[in-house]
Amino acid sequence: MFRSITTSSALSALTVLALASCSSSTEPVGTSSSSSGPAHRGASTSSASVLLSSAELNKRLLNESDLGEGYTRKPEPALRHDDVTVIGCPVLEKFGSDAATGSGLDFPRKEAASFVYADNNSEVAEELYSGAEDKLSQGVSRIFGAMSSCPRYQLLVGSTPVTVTTRKLPAPKLGEERWSQLLTFTVGGRSSVVKQTAVRTGTVVVVVSGSAALVDAHVAKATDKAHGVG
């Protein structure tokens, strides 16, 4: 995504997950789907039903050696509390100020990391959450469902309007539940595309966000490491 604090704030408000920005793009509007079924890669762990501490989650985040050559971890961004208003999507509007400030999901056990790739234009971010299985399932489904329920709406971040379009994507066959979507953000005539894929296995949810190519390249590895596989 192009570097804009406005767009970063919009992403946080939308997903209630700290999404990393990704490279500037003119890709067509792209998507959220959720599915469940038998566990696939990343699901075979004896501790699937055990809640993980933040310290344990941190150890399971991807690092530069997992990603390969050309990746540099970004410093954690400063917290911001921009006023965010949702316009044209009643379902998202119901989340109110909690969603707007990135605190709409009550998952206290969380760790995150984001990386810049090569030319400093493409980025990928990972977040890990641990909580009761039903709460994780319901919380992530609620957010993805709300976002995809409105194919086009607007965010007002401070005084800056951000047009958002969403489209569902088929999720990869990973974990016990999975969700995927493509979001296009347009600010001042410039568009950025963010892909987001979430996978739940037991008490852990892994969310990988950023440029579509990088998300596709690393989501399986992130899922495996998050659940102690490999």
Side-chain angles (χ1 to χ4, degrees), residues 79-152:
L79 294 176
R80 294 181 60 89
H81 299 285
D82 300 273
D83 292 329
V84 178
T85 302
V86 180
I87 302 171
C89 185
V91 177
L92 272 179
E93 289 174 16
K94 292 179 181 179
F95 283 98
S97 59
D98 282 347
T101 57
S103 58
L105 288 179
D106 187 18
F107 300 155
R109 303 184 185 197
K110 165 192 171 182
E111 289 295 320
S114 58
F115 302 85
V116 178
Y117 178 63
D119 58 5
N120 206 40
N121 287 324
S122 298
E123 298 184 18
V124 63
E126 179 192 15
E127 287 186 289
L128 297 180
Y129 295 88
S130 185
E133 295 183 27
D134 57 342
K135 290 186 177 181
L136 290 177
S137 177
Q138 294 168 14
V140 179
S141 293
R142 181 180 62 162
I143 289 296
F144 273 77
M147 294 169 69
S148 64
S149 66
C150 301
R152 183 183 180 90

Side-chain angles (χ1 to χ4, degrees), residues 1 22 31 37 71 126 133-134 188:
M1 171 175 292
C22 66
T31 336
Y71 288 88
E126 179 192 15
E133 295 183 27
D134 57 342

